[in-house]
Amino acid sequence: MNGNSADRLDPASATSKEDLARCLRTLRIRADSPSYRDLEKRALQIGRSLPRTTLGEVLSGRRFPSKAFLLAFVELCGVDPVAEPSWESAWNRLAVHYKTDVRAEPGPGSEDPRPDLSRQELRAARQRVRELEERLAELHAATTARTEASQHAGEAVGRAVEAWTAVADELDRRGERALAARARTALAELAEAEFAGAGTGAEAGAVARAGVGVGAGTRTAAATGAEAAAPPTGPEPVTAAGPFLTAGPLPAAVPPARSAPEADPDAAPLPGRVTGSLPAVWNVEPRNPEFTGRDAVLSDLRRRLGSGTAGGVQALRGVGGVGKTQIAIEFACRFASHYDVVWWIAAEDPALIGEQVAALAVELALAEPGTDTATAVAVLKAHLRGRNRWLLVFDNADDRAGVAKWLPGGPGHVLITSRAGGWEGIATTVPVDVMERDESVALLRTRRPELSPEDADLLASALADLPLALAQAGGFLAETATRVGDYLALLDTHATAVLTEGSTGDYRKPLAAAIDLSATRLARLDPLGLAVVRLCAFLAPESVPVHWLLAFGRSMAGRAPQAPGPLAPGGPLAALALADTDPVALHRGVGSAVRLGLATSTHDGVRLHRLVQAVIRDQLGEEAADVRRHARSVLVQAAPGDPEDPATWATWARVVPHLLAVDPGGADSPELRGLACDAAWYLTERGDSEAAARLAVDLRTSWTATSGPDDRHVLWASRCLARAHREQGRYEAAHLLYQASMPRSRRALGEDDPQTLRLAHGQAINLRLRGRYEESRRLQEDTLARYRRLLGHDHPHTLHSANHLAADLSALGRYEEARELHQETLARYRRVLGDDHPDTLRSANHLAADLSALGRYEEARELHQETLARCRRAFGEDSPHTLRAADSYGTTLRRLGRLEEAHRLQRETLARYRRVLGDDHPQTLRTAHNFSETLLARGETEAAHRLQADALEAARRVLGTDHPETLHAARHLALIRSGLGR
């Protein structure tokens, strides 16, 4: 960042430590978002202190910084605190409020214990720092070389470990478990020391990398060099009193229940990180303690991902239930210490990916909570492209195009799990098949240690080595102590169960039968647990919070069940209605389902695999529709509230996947239909208008078929779809919807119904965007009068209408009338919603544009400058609110003759618009036109001509040849050409 940039970040507006924190976060983003670790390291190099824990507290607004901390931070982010005294002034002003001892920092005229360095001395000191950094890099390279040499020296020890692992396993097979345990214990202690950072020798490192802790001989614990490298040959005692083993090949050993990390000298953990430690940014589900085998797949993945940029995106492809998700979790956990960031994204529904990617931007403090999805994702992609040591996992992604647009690129890693093919071009496919037989046997014996290898082999064969079926069987055996022969007989009698969705080839019947057995057992053991499983079978294969289930139970308790419904005695959900009187029983039921392998416990709820869901739904038969209806009721109980309120957005993010799973288009419940429409509106509010349009199309099509085109919810869904089209710049598509819906709403609901008024408001906005300014004004004026009469002058809907009516007046050239209405509306917005609400800032930007059009340039500049600063602080650089404010500000700067500032701001704004909205979005074209005017004013006539010609061609294509903006662009191009003599 250039501290002398004309586009300086001014902390003078900060009135609290939270405001100051927002300024500091923005400054960090402009400095390319250095990590906390990097800031701490660079501070130490210049004799300052920026501890990572303090950085987190200060930048989150929880702690007010010391002056030394603040000045060091801004300097490391590229701002010279001497040349920019506003930072120190802001600190001095706020320090009084937070009772910070200002005297602790030297003030003007006081004696400063630090040396009074001249600028020349300061430059010399910085040069010395750079020299020390170069020397440090040389030392680091030398240390790395020595480390690699140590690793090679330890490979002989690793080979010995592998040989002695086979010895210990053979002891196990022959029944000498005590000796085998002693052998394993010795090396496990060495491995533990290595993992805890205590192991320093090459031997300890090789032992850990080779797999100790799962089996090795005691001789290896003490052996070194060539002696350790020699595998056992001929009869030789394992211990002083132990039995002798005959020479010759050893039988195949049972694989361990947990595989240790493979040797990977090219991918050492981060400096200061202990092997196995988790990064600060991490949202992966807990590691499966019973994960077994898959070493070949994991090693291959690590090798591929470490091979460079071309291998940075890998797709694990296999049938359902083959264990792709578990492999991805194990990979993330096993190599967690190699990453700064690991982020898990449930990618089954492409419409919900953007929300989760945006959440990572918030977690990294690149965007504020509530920032629209497009902005947050754009900032995140820019950040990740300049960083390595990050891993994104897109789980259950079957839509190639739905994933491709979210991939950030750059030197980090991406892992995709999918049942579908077609990943060529964006990822390298890694096939995942069923488990090897020895791995299947090991997995079963993990759950049932006393199971013999022969019995485990019989079970694995019957279950076709499918991991999900094996896990089901292992849970059943562990819970019920059923003998293997009895279980195999039960499999035969229940093998008629089949899956109803997806394709698992030869694995369908074994898996369905295993799930059927576990469900039958759960019905006897804990009926409430089975009711939970049945209800969750109709929701998404994502975490279902337990408090949702409790709320549903409370709402059902006390109601007279409608026989023979699901909640009636003997019904599939009857036990769930009792959860209100005994909440502990609900948690116990969840635990029972988890123990039997039907569900997975998450940090706040329970989740079912999609194939388990399919079998459970199939088992319900004719009762499935009634259970789905109650699953919908769970979501109605969990309704987040107003989709325009950012405080509800975190809850909306959790509800939407489950809402899509219950087929809201097929619902006739007014409550669920309203929830679905609010979900579509929420998606648009968050900036994902594409996902909103898909949902709204589905709702509108389904409900029109069942309820007719005049139904209230059909009209509501139409309004959601029209707005999504409008945000995408598809004004004609939006116009057709408004034109069809408005007469129906007026006829069916009435002129003053809220639904009719909101349709009219949206239609008026779209008319203005289509260049129909007078029609827009008349319709918005009528809508505003109705809003004022029904809701009053200060209701947010009334203010929205007033704001857009003023915009109509401005478009018609009635600037003074527009200014008066905008000024009044802005005052009300500030009183009702606050200074930083998006609607308030939109109104302020409109008022500033009116002032500029009236020639009151200096007033306009001051308001533009304040509005842009607030937008940047509240929404980030790429938000549509920020970009609109920047575009308008650039026009005012040009009119003031401040051409250099206007040029820099508009050039950057145009680049951001193209990246966020695309080259042909109408707003991008407006900014291109404004920038061409600035280029012309600067004398860059050829550049202005090229830009305007391209913009005019796109405007004719997107807006039409008769649109006022197209005609204005044509006149401007003619003016440029006349200046060129063309």
Side-chain angles (χ1 to χ4, degrees):
M1 174 179 172
N2 183 359
N4 296 319
S5 169
D7 188 20
R8 294 189 180 93
L9 180 65
D10 187 5
S13 60
T15 60
S16 65
K17 69 177 186 295
E18 291 80 8
D19 288 345
L20 184 62
R22 279 193 290 270
C23 292
L24 293 174
R25 288 198 298 271
T26 302
L27 186 64
R28 177 174 171 242
I29 291 171
R30 294 189 184 184
D32 293 328
S33 301
S35 67
Y36 289 1
R37 179 181 289 103
D38 186 44
L39 287 169
E40 182 182 46
K41 176 183 175 182
R42 287 162 53 195
L44 291 173
Q45 291 170 347
I46 62 173
R48 308 289 184 87
S49 176
L50 291 180
R52 275 174 278 177
T53 53
T54 307
L55 277 165
E57 292 177 353
V58 169
L59 294 185
S60 65
R62 295 192 299 270
R63 177 173 175 179
F64 185 72
S66 68
K67 183 183 289 188
F69 182 101
L70 178 85
L71 297 180
F73 180 91
V74 299
E75 182 177 352
L76 289 174
C77 288
V79 173
D80 185 347
V82 177
E84 292 280 356
S86 58
W87 290 96
E88 186 171 1
S89 299
W91 186 93
N92 290 335
R93 174 168 46 79
L94 293 174
V96 176
H97 175 71
Y98 289 101
K99 298 182 174 58
T100 302
D101 187 3
V102 183
R103 294 170 300 174
E105 298 287 341
S110 63
E111 182 178 353
D112 191 339
R114 296 172 297 183
D116 186 15
L117 296 177
S118 66
R119 290 187 179 272
Q120 184 176 1
E121 291 170 327
L122 185 59
R123 283 195 296 271
R126 287 175 175 168
Q127 177 61 32
R128 178 58 178 159
V129 167
R130 286 193 289 271
E131 292 172 357
L132 290 173
E133 287 177 339
E134 292 172 0
R135 177 58 179 157
L136 182 63
E138 293 172 0
L139 291 173
H140 178 70
T143 302
T144 301
R146 286 196 297 271
T147 300
E148 291 176 350
S150 298
Q151 289 171 340
H152 291 309
E155 288 178 357
V157 178
R159 288 191 294 272
V161 168
E162 293 173 358
W164 280 101
T165 297
V167 172
D169 288 338
E170 174 63 5
L171 286 172
D172 252 336
R173 182 177 175 278
R174 297 191 178 195
E176 299 293 339
R177 295 184 178 176
L179 289 173
R182 287 169 57 189
R184 291 187 175 101
T185 300
L187 283 179
E189 291 172 354
L190 278 178
E192 184 178 356
E194 168 72 6
F195 288 173
T200 57
E203 296 85 2
V207 165
R209 291 189 300 275
V212 283
V214 299
T218 54
R219 178 182 175 87
T220 313
T224 59
E227 179 186 4
T233 58
E236 179 176 281
V238 177
T239 66
F244 289 84
L245 298 179
T246 58
L250 293 171
V254 177
R258 160 78 57 183
S259 300
E262 295 289 322
D264 192 6
D266 295 325
L270 290 169
R273 290 273 295 281
V274 176
T275 301
S277 63
L278 301 182
V281 180
W282 170 272
N283 73 333
V284 182
E285 292 292 344
R287 192 176 197 173
N288 181 0
E290 295 169 350
F291 182 87
T292 302
R294 302 295 198 180
D295 290 317
V297 175
L298 290 165
S299 298
D300 188 37
L301 264 183
R302 184 62 197 173
R303 178 185 60 78
R304 289 167 179 260
L305 287 171
S307 64
T309 304
V313 183
Q314 300 289 317
L316 292 171
R317 186 197 174 196
V319 298
V322 82
K324 303 179 295 296
T325 297
Q326 288 299 315
I327 291 173
I329 292 174
E330 175 64 17
F331 180 88
C333 294
R334 183 175 294 193
F335 297 104
S337 56
H338 300 277
Y339 296 104
D340 288 318
V341 175
V342 178
W343 201 250
W344 191 276
I345 298 157
E348 184 175 23
D349 190 332
L352 306 177
I353 296 176
E355 176 77 29
Q356 299 171 78
V357 177
L360 176 56
V362 174
E363 185 71 16
L364 290 170
L366 301 174
E368 293 288 331
T371 301
D372 64 276
T373 300
T375 298
V377 171
V379 173
L380 177 68
K381 285 184 176 181
H383 174 78
L384 294 182
R385 288 188 193 111
R387 301 287 187 277
N388 56 10
R389 302 284 196 174
W390 51 264
L391 170 67
L392 303 184
V393 182
F394 291 84
D395 186 41
N396 292 312
D398 289 338
D399 185 339
R400 180 185 185 277
V403 170
K405 68 178 182 179
W406 303 109
L407 299 180
H413 295 165
V414 175
L415 185 57
I416 300 168
T417 73
S418 178
R419 290 174 292 177
W423 295 101
E424 295 79 8
I426 67 170
T428 302
T429 300
V430 181
V432 180
D433 204 347
V434 296
M435 300 183 82
E436 296 293 333
R437 180 54 53 83
D438 56 355
E439 295 177 330
S440 301
V441 168
L443 176 58
L444 288 167
R445 294 185 69 194
T446 299
R447 297 297 296 267
R448 189 83 182 272
E450 68 275 16
L451 199 65
S452 72
E454 292 77 15
D455 282 347
D457 187 88
L458 285 173
L459 275 174
S461 177
L463 297 169
D465 296 302
L466 185 68
L468 184 57
L470 294 168
Q472 294 285 334
F476 188 94
L477 293 174
E479 183 70 28
T480 64
T482 302
R483 292 182 301 178
V484 171
D486 294 337
Y487 184 82
L488 291 173
L490 287 171
L491 276 180
D492 287 337
T493 60
H494 287 72
T496 56
V498 293
L499 299 179
T500 58
E501 67 178 34
S503 174
T504 54
D506 296 335
Y507 319 127
R508 296 176 66 185
K509 289 185 177 180
L511 174 59
I515 294 171
D516 191 17
L517 286 176
S518 295
T520 302
R521 169 66 179 168
L522 185 59
R524 293 195 299 268
L525 175 71
D526 196 329
L528 181 55
L530 182 59
V532 168
V533 168
R534 285 168 170 167
L535 197 63
C536 292
F538 291 89
L539 298 172
E542 308 294 339
S543 179
V544 179
V546 172
H547 69 266
W548 288 6
L549 302 174
L550 283 169
F552 173 73
R554 294 189 190 101
S555 68
M556 294 297 105
R559 291 189 186 182
Q562 296 178 354
L567 293 169
L573 300 180
L576 196 58
L578 304 177
D580 180 53
T581 57
D582 186 7
V584 175
L586 181 61
H587 290 276
R588 190 185 305 119
V590 170
S592 298
V594 171
R595 287 196 304 276
L596 279 167
L598 289 170
T600 301
S601 179
T602 63
H603 65 281
D604 67 342
V606 59
R607 182 179 64 229
L608 268 63
H609 192 283
R610 61 185 40 79
L611 297 181
V612 175
Q613 291 179 311
V615 174
I616 297 298
R617 289 196 299 267
D618 188 52
Q619 290 174 348
L620 287 168
E622 294 180 355
E623 295 177 303
D626 285 334
V627 177
R628 176 184 278 110
R629 179 166 52 84
H630 285 287
R632 291 167 173 167
S633 297
V634 170
L635 301 179
V636 170
Q637 292 287 328
D642 183 5
E644 296 184 5
D645 182 2
T648 68
W649 289 352
T651 307
W652 272 112
R654 304 205 64 175
V655 167
V656 170
H658 298 290
L659 178 66
L660 298 179
V662 299
D663 182 24
D668 56 7
S669 159
E671 294 81 9
L672 188 74
R673 286 188 172 191
L675 182 69
C677 290
D678 276 344
W681 201 262
Y682 152 76
L683 289 168
T684 302
E685 286 289 323
R686 291 288 284 137
D688 198 347
S689 54
E690 183 180 340
R694 284 198 299 268
L695 175 57
V697 165
D698 178 65
L699 299 178
R700 185 171 180 268
T701 303
S702 300
W703 295 342
T704 299
T706 57
S707 304
D710 293 344
D711 177 76
R712 172 179 293 275
H713 291 100
V714 171
L715 295 170
W716 190 347
S718 299
R719 176 168 60 86
C720 293
L721 179 57
R723 189 204 172 182
H725 284 327
R726 199 177 75 221
E727 295 296 333
Q728 293 173 308
R730 301 177 61 194
Y731 302 146
E732 288 304 315
H735 170 67
L736 294 175
L737 271 172
Y738 283 125
Q739 193 174 39
S741 301
M742 273 298 299
R744 294 184 181 280
S745 187
R746 284 170 172 159
R747 182 174 61 250
L749 306 178
E751 294 275 359
D752 290 342
D753 185 88
Q755 194 66 256
T756 304
L757 291 177
R758 296 198 73 177
L759 273 168
H761 172 64
Q763 186 182 30
I765 295 173
N766 199 63
L767 283 169
R768 183 177 75 251
L769 294 173
R770 293 177 62 237
R772 311 275 287 274
Y773 302 144
E774 182 57 34
E775 292 177 65
S776 175
R777 183 200 65 77
R778 287 197 300 269
L779 180 56
Q780 196 67 263
E781 195 169 59
D782 176 73
T783 304
L784 176 60
R786 294 176 186 275
Y787 269 134
R788 284 174 171 170
R789 185 175 66 252
L790 293 170
L791 302 177
H793 284 63
D794 285 345
H795 191 280
H797 289 170
T798 306
L799 297 178
H800 298 343
S801 182
N803 184 49
H804 284 283
L805 175 58
D808 291 334
L809 293 170
S810 182
L812 288 165
R814 296 161 62 173
Y815 300 123
E816 185 57 38
E817 294 174 73
R819 182 201 62 78
E820 291 178 359
L821 183 54
H822 269 139
Q823 195 155 340
E824 176 193 348
T825 305
L826 177 59
R828 293 180 185 274
Y829 265 133
R830 285 172 170 166
R831 184 172 67 251
V832 174
L833 300 179
D835 290 343
D836 287 336
H837 192 278
D839 294 326
T840 305
L841 295 173
R842 185 186 298 114
S843 180
N845 191 51
H846 284 165
L847 175 58
D850 291 339
L851 291 169
S852 182
L854 288 166
R856 298 163 63 172
Y857 300 139
E858 192 55 40
E859 292 177 71
R861 186 198 63 78
E862 291 177 1
L863 183 54
H864 270 313
Q865 188 176 46
E866 177 192 356
T867 303
L868 179 58
R870 288 182 181 276
C871 285
R872 282 173 169 162
R873 184 169 65 245
F875 312 119
E877 294 284 357
D878 286 341
S879 165
H881 303 294
T882 305
L883 294 176
R884 280 192 292 266
D887 185 28
S888 297
Y889 187 22
T891 298
T892 296
L893 289 172
R894 174 178 57 78
R895 289 171 175 169
L896 276 168
R898 298 167 67 163
L899 299 182
E900 290 301 319
E901 296 174 69
H903 181 272
R904 281 194 297 270
L905 182 57
Q906 288 179 323
R907 181 179 57 190
E908 178 186 355
T909 304
L910 179 58
R912 291 181 184 276
Y913 261 132
R914 284 171 168 166
R915 186 174 68 247
V916 175
L917 298 180
D919 291 346
D920 287 350
H921 193 282
Q923 191 58 54
T924 305
L925 301 180
R926 294 181 189 110
T927 303
H929 168 75
N930 293 336
F931 187 33
S932 74
E933 290 190 331
T934 300
L935 290 171
L936 183 62
R938 280 165 49 93
E940 300 179 43
T941 311
E942 282 290 350
H945 180 269
R946 287 194 300 272
L947 182 59
Q948 188 65 28
D950 290 343
L952 176 58
E953 179 184 354
R956 285 171 172 161
R957 185 174 63 252
V958 174
L959 299 175
T961 56
D962 294 334
H963 194 287
E965 293 179 23
T966 305
L967 297 175
H968 181 63
R971 288 193 295 271
H972 181 59
L973 181 61
L975 178 65
I976 297 174
R977 284 177 172 167
S978 67
L980 290 170
R982 297 180 183 177

